[in-house]
Amino acid sequence: MTQTTDAAATGAAALQDSVPGRRRRRIHRAWFVAAVTFVTIIGAAAFRSLPGLLIDPLHEEFHWSRGTIGLAVSVNLALYGLTAPFAAALMDRFGIRRVVAAALIVIAVGSGATVWMTTAWQLLLCWGLLVGLGSGSMALAFAATVTNRWFTERRGLVTGILTAASASGQLIFLPVLSWIVEEHDWRPAAVTVALAALAVVPFVWLLLRDHPADVGLKPYGATEFVEKPPPVPGAARRTVKVLFSAARIGPFWLLAGTFAICGASTNGLIQTHFVPASHDHGMPITAAASLLAVIGVFDVIGTIASGWFTDRFDPRRLLAVYYALRGISLLFLPLLLAPSVHPPMIFFIIFYGLDWVATVPPTIALCREHYGDDSAIVFGWVLASHQVGAALVAFLGGVARDTFGSYDVMWYASGALCAAAALMALVIRRRPVAVLA
């Protein structure tokens, strides 16, 4: 059936080229591929919504320390990043569909298996290892690969849209999962995550295509037909080789450093610890989770707008502005936490949401500018630094709460790191390198 569908699509494309004026009116298939990718990332985003909701229930049921639970979350976040560059290379070897479908199945197995766990090492195995590996293959390197293959124009905008998909998934799942955790325990929430991942697999397998050449089309905005490259053997070897080549060029370390701080101040800090920190101040879990969902609403707006800006302005200056504003907002957060939701907190949530993943489009643009055809893999390594930063802060946040009885020191430290990231972004030189040696 897949071959028949592809043949029909190829024939339609040829007919479209033969009729003057029709091609301009028809929506390019790249946008449909982007839409499938968007839905896929939304479906997989359920697992990103759950860790912050599990800290208090697991602490109460199993009497595990928050540091222990934070360690499992940190393993998940670290593997999410470290798997990404290898996943990008595997997509070049085996195709996008196979890698993404397998990743979704691994996520479902890992999340579903947590309902039978009784010890902390099982949490590390299921949520830390399995979900971490699966989610790493669904990381932003997936969005970068799709964008690089299917688009030559509007790349910044498409990158922003696909990045926003994760926030959209958070918007959809966070209120639902928080209600399930509060009303029916955490286990049904874990099963919901598993089912959501499985539900997306048919869409990926039936509708996603690896390359425009599979359906006889040019990439969107291209003037010439681009042949599908042959499978690239030695995915692991190539991934490591690209890392060493990229590491010889100065911008890599600045991009990795700024993105590590990005991960520390978003996934590691706010996404993991905002709900328990708010609960410490008397706010109901559902209310705190709803605030995170509101971040998801404005994350979509901010990320798409950032993609539009990236097509028009210097991405270094955009990054500097984003990090500076984020750092300032974190310094005020300890003053805003209260038992109820009040206008200053809503302003913080809106502001932080607009800035949440706005850093991704300019970071990908700088990777593309400096590293050319290897940019997706290089961005995978930069994303690895993002998740290592997130993992470190997810663990340290739990330790800080156990040690000091509050998260205040983490808010202030993260604000200072964001100020450093703003300065690092301005130091990046714009020196394009076509192909890595």
Side-chain angles (χ1 to χ4, degrees):
M1 179 179 294
T2 300
Q3 293 177 348
T4 303
T5 303
D6 290 347
T10 304
L15 177 62
Q16 186 182 62
D17 287 337
S18 65
V19 180
R22 283 192 62 183
R23 190 177 180 192
R24 292 183 180 178
R25 293 193 298 268
R26 187 176 185 272
I27 299 176
H28 194 285
R29 182 156 179 173
W31 294 106
F32 292 103
V33 172
V36 174
T37 304
F38 185 90
V39 172
T40 302
I41 297 174
I42 285 179
F47 64 82
R48 300 283 301 280
S49 305
L50 194 56
L53 303 177
L54 292 181
I55 292 178
D56 285 338
L58 293 179
H59 174 71
E60 292 172 4
E61 178 173 340
F62 297 107
H63 305 291
W64 299 335
S65 70
R66 290 177 174 83
T68 298
I69 301 169
L71 178 62
V73 177
S74 70
V75 171
N76 177 294
L77 293 172
L79 286 176
Y80 176 89
L82 294 172
T83 305
F86 293 94
L90 286 172
M91 290 176 188
D92 289 339
R93 176 66 178 88
F94 298 105
I96 297 174
R97 287 192 303 169
R98 293 179 180 179
V99 173
V100 173
L104 288 166
I105 293 172
V106 171
I107 290 170
V109 171
S111 180
T114 59
V115 300
W116 292 289
M117 69 181 180
T118 56
T119 60
W121 72 264
Q122 293 169 339
L123 177 66
L124 287 168
L125 174 65
C126 295
W127 199 264
L129 180 63
L130 292 180
V131 177
L133 289 174
S135 62
S137 301
M138 292 291 301
L140 293 173
F142 168 41
T145 301
V146 170
T147 303
N148 288 348
R149 291 186 181 185
W150 281 88
F151 293 85
T152 58
E153 293 182 356
R154 302 290 188 270
R155 280 177 168 175
L157 176 63
V158 175
T159 300
I161 292 173
L162 296 183
T163 302
S166 180
S168 300
Q170 177 175 290
L171 165 65
I172 294 170
F173 288 107
L174 253 180
V176 175
L177 293 176
S178 64
W179 178 81
I180 292 174
V181 169
E182 194 162 40
E183 298 294 330
H184 301 286
D185 196 23
W186 61 269
R187 288 178 178 82
V191 173
T192 301
V193 170
L195 295 177
L198 286 176
V200 181
V201 174
F203 290 94
V204 171
W205 194 254
L206 296 176
L207 301 177
L208 195 62
R209 292 295 176 267
D210 293 329
H211 196 277
D214 289 342
V215 289
L217 292 175
K218 305 173 186 176
Y220 178 82
T223 57
E224 297 180 357
F225 184 83
V226 178
E227 294 288 344
K228 182 179 181 179
V232 181
R237 183 174 62 253
R238 181 190 175 206
T239 303
V240 175
K241 181 180 178 182
V242 168
L243 171 62
F244 282 108
S245 298
R248 293 200 299 265
I249 302 173
F252 174 80
W253 296 105
L254 292 170
L255 288 168
T258 55
F259 223 44
I261 294 172
C262 178
S265 56
T266 53
N267 301 78
L269 185 63
I270 297 295
Q271 186 162 345
T272 304
H273 295 293
F274 179 80
V275 171
S278 300
H279 191 54
D280 285 345
H281 287 76
M283 185 180 294
I285 291 178
T286 51
S290 297
L291 288 176
L292 277 185
V294 173
I295 284 181
V297 175
F298 289 93
D299 185 350
V300 174
I301 299 171
T303 308
I304 294 175
S306 179
W308 187 86
F309 290 144
T310 302
D311 287 332
R312 290 160 175 80
F313 301 106
D314 185 343
R316 300 172 304 163
R317 297 183 184 277
L318 291 176
L319 287 177
V321 171
Y322 297 156
Y323 286 121
L325 294 177
R326 182 183 300 180
I328 292 171
S329 66
L330 282 173
L331 296 178
F332 285 98
L333 181 56
L335 303 175
L336 304 179
L337 293 170
S340 60
V341 179
H342 49 85
M345 174 59 80
I346 294 175
F347 178 80
F348 169 84
I349 291 296
I350 293 173
F351 186 85
Y352 214 81
L354 291 171
D355 191 79
W356 183 271
V357 199
T359 56
V360 173
T363 301
I364 291 180
L366 289 169
C367 287
R368 188 181 299 121
E369 177 181 297
H370 285 276
Y371 303 105
D373 292 339
D374 288 326
S375 61
I377 297 177
V378 173
F379 178 70
W381 283 114
V382 172
L383 179 64
S385 71
H386 180 283
Q387 294 307 117
V388 169
L392 183 61
V393 171
F395 171 66
L396 291 178
V399 172
R401 174 61 177 80
D402 290 333
T403 303
F404 302 110
S406 76
Y407 291 96
D408 288 358
V409 65
M410 298 305 299
W411 310 131
Y412 295 133
S414 296
L417 286 174
C418 287
L423 295 175
M424 292 166 64
L426 292 174
V427 176
I428 298 173
R429 291 184 297 170
R430 302 202 68 177
R431 187 174 53 131
V433 176
V435 181
L436 289 173

